[in-house]
Amino acid sequence: MARRGHEMPTPGAPSFVQELRAYRQDRDVILEAKVRGNPERNVQHSWDGNEWHWQDLKGRMRKEANYDGTIKLTIQEARRSDSGTFRLVVTNIHGSATSTCNVRI
């Protein structure tokens, strides 16, 4: 049941309210997007670099998905070798949406 003043989200496929973008924060790089879609979404990300470096990169990443649809991927202690194309794929039972961002460090 919806609370007074709050509408229940309409079912639908994910879509990006804000495409994936990257920005620096001190020595970290933040990749951020905002999506909508109901029901809850499955979030996957990938990177186009070599597989060996991907294992190291995953160890320095923090993922965060907020109720408002904001998705953040923080690359801690970003290095030049982390540069590449990042892809965010969001899916639910109604469909999927993809956004990419080129990161140059």
Side-chain angles (χ1 to χ4, degrees):
M1 173 178 269
R3 294 187 327 225
R4 184 175 292 191
H6 294 270
E7 295 181 28
M8 293 296 290
T10 304
S15 63
F16 285 91
V17 175
Q18 173 192 307
E19 294 288 332
L20 188 62
R21 66 185 182 99
Y23 58 92
R24 298 276 321 214
Q25 188 173 50
D26 298 320
R27 293 166 57 182
D28 300 342
V29 169
I30 314 277
L31 290 108
E32 182 178 76
K34 190 167 186 175
V35 297
R36 66 176 157 218
N38 185 40
E40 288 191 23
R41 303 160 299 272
N42 177 33
V43 177
Q44 296 179 325
H45 61 274
S46 62
W47 175 71
D48 72 348
N50 71 52
E51 185 61 29
W52 178 84
H53 184 70
W54 177 239
Q55 296 306 316
D56 171 60
L57 183 59
K58 286 194 309 187
R60 293 182 288 113
M61 291 190 304
R62 272 191 338 233
K63 294 186 282 185
E64 179 183 333
N66 297 322
Y67 181 74
D68 71 353
T70 301
I71 299 168
K72 286 185 181 181
L73 177 65
T74 301
I75 303 170
Q76 299 172 323
E77 302 291 325
R79 305 172 189 153
R80 180 171 285 135
S81 58
D82 298 336
S83 298
T85 301
F86 287 80
R87 177 173 290 108
L88 178 66
V89 180
V90 183
T91 59
N92 69 13
I93 61 171
H94 298 289
S96 66
T98 301
S99 183
T100 59
C101 179
N102 292 313
V103 175
R104 193 172 169 122
I105 302 169

